[in-house]
Amino acid sequence: MNPINVAKFGGTSVANFEAMSRSAHVIEQNQKTHLVVISACSGVTNLLVELANGVQDSQRKKDIFEELKSIHFSVLDQLSDPIYPEQAILEILEDIKKAADSASFQSSDKLTDHLVACGELMSTHLFTQLLIERGNSAVRFDIRTVLRTDTQFGKGEPQLEEISQLAQAKLAPLCQKHIVVTQGFIGSDSEGNTTTLGRGGSDYSAALIAESVNACGLEIWTDVPGIYTTDPRIAPAASPIPEISFSEASEMANYGAKILHPSTLLPALRHQIPVFVGSSKEPEKGGTWIKQKVDSSPLFRALTLRCNQTMVTLHSPNMFHAYGFLAEVFKILAKYQISVDLITTSEVSVALTLDQTNTNGKAPELPFEAQQELEKLCTVEIENNLCLIALIGNQMSDSKGYAKQVFGALEDFNLRMICYGASQHNLCFLLHESESKRAVQVLHKELFEK
């Protein structure tokens, strides 16, 4: 079988007819690109999430529906033969209207997944037709027939063995004959219910699909030319990174770099699939290659920012010189399927942050029932409105004086929690969201602009 390159395009890369045309040109420049993973058109997922959360105001609901229709019909109006995609999109819009009415009475994670998946279902109809009209042999493929997950709506867990078997049987043969256009972010459980991989899961699903068809490469096309030392919208002096290791990029993604989903690189790393990140708006500017081995490993590589953090502090004198306390805490957290991100401990206290994996984009919450059980063991304090800053680098523990440089720059900030030691690639800390961006700017200037 011929090697297959997988190209994934984010929402801004398929925002309108012009953006889709640029993305189509990118595909046509690489003859190996036979599998294309598409996000919803820019802004669509946010509108669908709003509907899924339950809109009571009938006028607001009508306005959202009209905006959804306008976004997609602006592309349809510029296609030469829009009849088939128009019919398909009208059917999906009708489905959205019915689901939104149901959500206004009672929302659920299952209904949310059903609704938000409609964005990708519509955008792939449009993009496939555009590729066909440009003279390409393109077909649309419903990824839900392949990308199997469990039933955790909002954060479905991929079933890797089943995905591989289904992809080899249904998807790989199509890729030998056509450019296959499919959806990111969504999948289905064993009963055929639509699931999602969590907010931003299009990159992750693209990597899973690339792994399942034994791809030779994965391209992530977005609105910025590669990975930067930090978000240029926060620090305008941020500079592009030509190449970065899987380990560094994984840390960046996990700790807030919006250019990659935290789990994206796991499938690529398992099968040593090189990943390229570039801009569909300016492909000529190149981008960032993510590889197993790179030529340089600087002490400081990048800064990331992740907000909507929830910190839980557990305090109990019974912890002092005792054993089994943490085991009981994590037993309770596991019971309620709560994933822990960071953790620090003292003799009588434990502070931890909750992982953010849900589709709705909100800060993670400690369920009331879990809090009640924890309060039988200890006092529980919950803090919101926090942000996490992570400094990504290499072998920081082997470099004398780096901590003074970092924390000296941050002497005017109130740091809530500091974590280091579990990885040689990151140092991270929490602070209030009101001062988070200024902290990134100050630290970037000290470490990357001198």
Side-chain angles (χ1 to χ4, degrees):
M1 296 178 72
N2 295 324
I4 299 169
N5 182 64
V6 177
K8 181 265 174 181
F9 293 89
T12 55
S13 297
V14 291
N16 49 43
F17 184 83
E18 291 72 26
M20 287 188 179
S21 298
R22 288 194 296 267
S23 297
H25 178 71
V26 169
I27 293 167
E28 291 161 354
Q29 297 308 297
N30 187 344
Q31 293 183 351
K32 292 182 180 179
T33 301
H34 276 258
L35 185 50
V36 180
V37 180
I38 299 294
S39 294
C41 298
S42 183
V44 167
T45 300
N46 288 338
L47 295 171
L48 293 171
V49 167
E50 184 176 349
L51 290 175
N53 288 336
V55 177
Q56 305 299 324
D57 188 323
S58 58
Q59 184 58 49
R60 175 56 186 158
K61 195 185 299 183
K62 182 180 178 181
D63 290 344
I64 293 174
F65 183 79
E66 289 302 318
E67 189 172 353
L68 288 169
K69 186 175 180 180
S70 175
I71 290 170
H72 296 92
F73 270 70
S74 69
V75 179
L76 282 169
D77 291 342
Q78 296 183 70
L79 293 172
S80 301
D81 186 16
I83 295 176
Y84 174 72
E86 180 178 351
Q87 180 182 353
I89 286 172
L90 285 173
E91 290 176 359
I92 296 171
L93 287 171
E94 189 61 32
D95 187 26
I96 290 171
K97 188 179 293 185
K98 293 177 181 177
D101 288 340
S102 297
S104 64
F105 289 102
Q106 184 174 4
S107 185
S108 68
D109 290 340
K110 181 178 180 180
L111 184 57
T112 295
D113 277 4
H114 176 79
L115 258 171
V116 298
C118 292
E120 278 73 11
L121 297 177
M122 289 189 287
S123 64
T124 47
H125 277 294
L126 295 172
F127 196 74
T128 304
Q129 182 63 27
L130 184 143
L131 282 174
I132 291 171
E133 293 185 6
R134 291 172 65 98
N136 299 288
S137 176
V139 295
R140 180 181 179 273
F141 184 85
D142 191 333
I143 201 60
R144 291 175 296 182
T145 64
V146 163
L147 210 151
R148 192 72 74 234
T149 74
D150 62 9
T151 55
Q152 291 188 77
F153 297 105
K155 49 180 179 179
E157 184 66 29
Q159 308 300 294
L160 299 181
E161 186 174 342
E162 194 171 358
I163 291 171
S164 178
Q165 292 173 354
L166 291 169
Q168 288 298 320
K170 298 182 178 183
L171 186 55
L174 271 179
C175 295
Q176 296 301 312
K177 300 177 181 178
H178 309 280
I179 297 175
V180 179
V181 179
T182 194
Q183 304 81 24
F185 177 55
I186 69 175
S188 69
D189 64 14
S190 59
E191 296 181 0
N193 298 306
T194 298
T195 58
T196 67
L197 300 183
R199 198 67 186 266
S202 291
D203 290 347
Y204 184 28
S205 59
L208 288 167
I209 295 164
E211 178 184 37
S212 69
V213 297
N214 300 317
C216 63
L218 171 62
E219 298 171 356
I220 306 290
W221 294 97
T222 179
D223 56 353
V224 293
I227 300 174
Y228 279 64
T229 49
T230 197
D231 188 338
R233 292 168 294 188
I234 298 175
S239 55
I241 303 171
E243 64 174 13
I244 187 172
S245 69
F246 275 116
S247 298
E248 293 170 309
S250 294
E251 297 284 359
M252 287 189 69
N254 189 54
Y255 289 107
K258 292 182 174 60
I259 201 165
L260 287 174
H261 185 275
S263 301
T264 298
L265 298 174
L266 294 178
L269 180 59
R270 284 194 294 260
H271 281 69
Q272 296 295 297
I273 302 172
V275 178
F276 176 79
V277 180
S279 168
S280 61
K281 291 182 179 180
E282 302 172 298
E284 69 281 356
K285 287 191 173 182
T288 301
W289 279 102
I290 305 172
K291 304 175 181 177
Q292 178 67 21
K293 295 182 179 180
V294 293
D295 292 335
S296 65
S297 300
L299 178 63
F300 302 132
R301 177 70 87 179
L303 282 169
T304 64
L305 175 66
R306 186 175 72 191
C307 290
N308 281 338
Q309 299 298 286
T310 300
M311 183 170 74
V312 179
T313 303
L314 311 174
H315 178 85
S316 173
N318 295 331
M319 286 178 60
F320 189 71
H321 286 172
Y323 59 88
F325 179 81
L326 280 179
E328 284 297 315
V329 168
F330 279 92
K331 182 179 178 180
I332 294 170
L333 297 177
K335 177 180 176 181
Y336 294 95
Q337 296 184 325
I338 301 166
S339 177
V340 171
D341 188 15
L342 305 178
I343 182 168
T344 60
T345 65
S346 71
E347 285 288 0
V348 294
S349 297
V350 177
L352 53 87
T353 61
L354 307 183
D355 240 344
Q356 185 176 19
T357 57
N358 56 331
T359 297
N360 61 28
K362 296 179 182 178
E365 297 179 355
L366 183 68
F368 178 70
E369 295 82 0
Q371 183 174 339
Q372 282 186 312
E373 288 199 37
L374 288 170
E375 286 176 343
K376 294 177 181 178
L377 296 175
C378 56
T379 59
V380 179
E381 180 185 353
I382 301 173
E383 292 183 62
N384 297 304
N385 303 316
L386 298 170
C387 290
L388 171 71
I389 293 178
L391 172 61
I392 311 301
N394 293 277
Q395 305 299 322
M396 286 186 281
S397 63
D398 295 336
S399 178
K400 296 179 180 179
Y402 88 93
K404 179 181 179 180
Q405 187 179 6
V406 171
F407 294 113
L410 297 170
E411 62 181 352
D412 294 330
F413 296 90
N414 180 27
L415 307 184
R416 291 293 297 110
M417 180 179 180
I418 300 171
C419 288
Y420 177 72
S423 168
Q424 289 274 33
H425 291 290
N426 78 69
L427 163 68
C428 47
F429 49 88
L430 288 174
L431 72 176
H432 195 271
E433 64 181 7
S434 62
E435 55 182 5
S436 61
K437 290 185 178 179
R438 188 167 66 89
V440 170
Q441 293 165 352
V442 169
L443 199 52
H444 189 274
K445 185 174 182 179
E446 171 67 26
L447 303 182
F448 295 94
E449 299 175 32
K450 288 188 175 182

